[in-house]
Amino acid sequence: TVGRSQLNLALGNVTGAGQFASSQINLSNPTNVNAISQITFGYDAVGLTNASAYMGYLAVNSSSYGKGSLVFGTRDVVTDTQPTERMRIVSSGNVGIGTDSPDCKLHTLESTNNSGSTGLANGGLQIENTNTTSGSWSQLHLRSVAYDAHLRLLNDGTLKIMTDGNTSAMTILDGGNVG
């Protein structure tokens, strides 16, 4: 085929998503833990060491079949510094923005607070589904440095607004009654 860009790869009718034989490009590395296969982006000048952005595969185990995460990083300064990881999709499918270990389908965290430490206590947004022996629910979890709130939907249709951890501030029953 005639390419319309500087790089054009055509393989034909690809039916095996995720199969090597159906790949136009394959980047690979040894199965060493923390080894990364990556594509980098940015201004390429003589003497620069670091790209402006990257996306890659980060190996998290050393088995011959491989298991890992997709990682995405950018830098927000104009100096030759290494990009910072901004988003990660782990092998379970959970997506983390501002965290490298998301524990639900979408897990966001404020990256740092004034002390430079990281973690949920610094703020963030979490959307999660929880199944426990005492019940199951879906919730939107909001955290700031000092406060914590949940908007929780229970399986019976009850909507709860909770503050300060798990303190129920308001309950709206399936029929519309508010308490």
Side-chain angles (χ1 to χ4, degrees):
T1 62
V2 176
R4 292 180 286 265
S5 61
Q6 289 184 1
L7 176 63
N8 183 32
L9 304 171
L11 190 61
N13 187 13
V14 175
T15 58
Q19 294 178 351
F20 287 117
S22 296
S23 299
Q24 283 86 350
I25 297 175
N26 175 44
L27 303 176
S28 61
N29 62 33
T31 56
N32 297 333
V33 173
N34 294 324
I36 189 167
S37 300
Q38 65 184 340
I39 299 172
T40 59
F41 304 91
Y43 182 69
D44 184 18
V46 175
L48 291 182
T49 302
N50 298 295
S52 300
Y54 70 90
M55 63 181 187
Y57 165 77
L58 179 67
V60 298
N61 78 347
S62 59
S63 75
S64 59
Y65 293 105
K67 176 181 169 183
S69 302
L70 287 175
V71 293
F72 302 85
T74 61
R75 73 168 175 231
D76 62 354
V77 296
V78 292
T79 58
D80 187 21
T81 56
Q82 188 172 358
T84 300
E85 182 180 319
R86 307 295 182 184
M87 185 173 80
R88 182 178 291 208
I89 304 171
V90 296
S91 60
S92 68
N94 292 349
V95 177
I97 300 173
T99 177
D100 61 7
S101 55
D103 58 11
C104 56
K105 291 300 175 194
L106 175 61
H107 189 164
T108 68
L109 290 177
E110 177 69 28
S111 59
T112 60
N113 65 15
N114 291 337
S115 68
S117 64
T118 61
L120 283 174
N122 301 320
L125 168 71
Q126 210 171 341
I127 301 170
E128 59 190 334
N129 291 312
T130 303
N131 291 304
T132 66
T133 55
S134 62
S136 59
W137 59 82
S138 296
Q139 74 179 3
L140 176 63
H141 188 170
L142 302 167
R143 291 185 182 181
S144 70
V145 173
Y147 297 100
D148 194 21
H150 305 264
L151 182 61
R152 184 177 289 176
L153 178 62
L154 304 177
N155 277 349
D156 66 0
T158 301
L159 182 65
K160 290 188 171 227
I161 298 174
M162 305 171 81
T163 59
D164 194 27
N166 286 321
T167 304
S168 183
M170 182 188 306
T171 299
I172 304 172
L173 299 177
D174 185 32
N177 292 338
V178 178

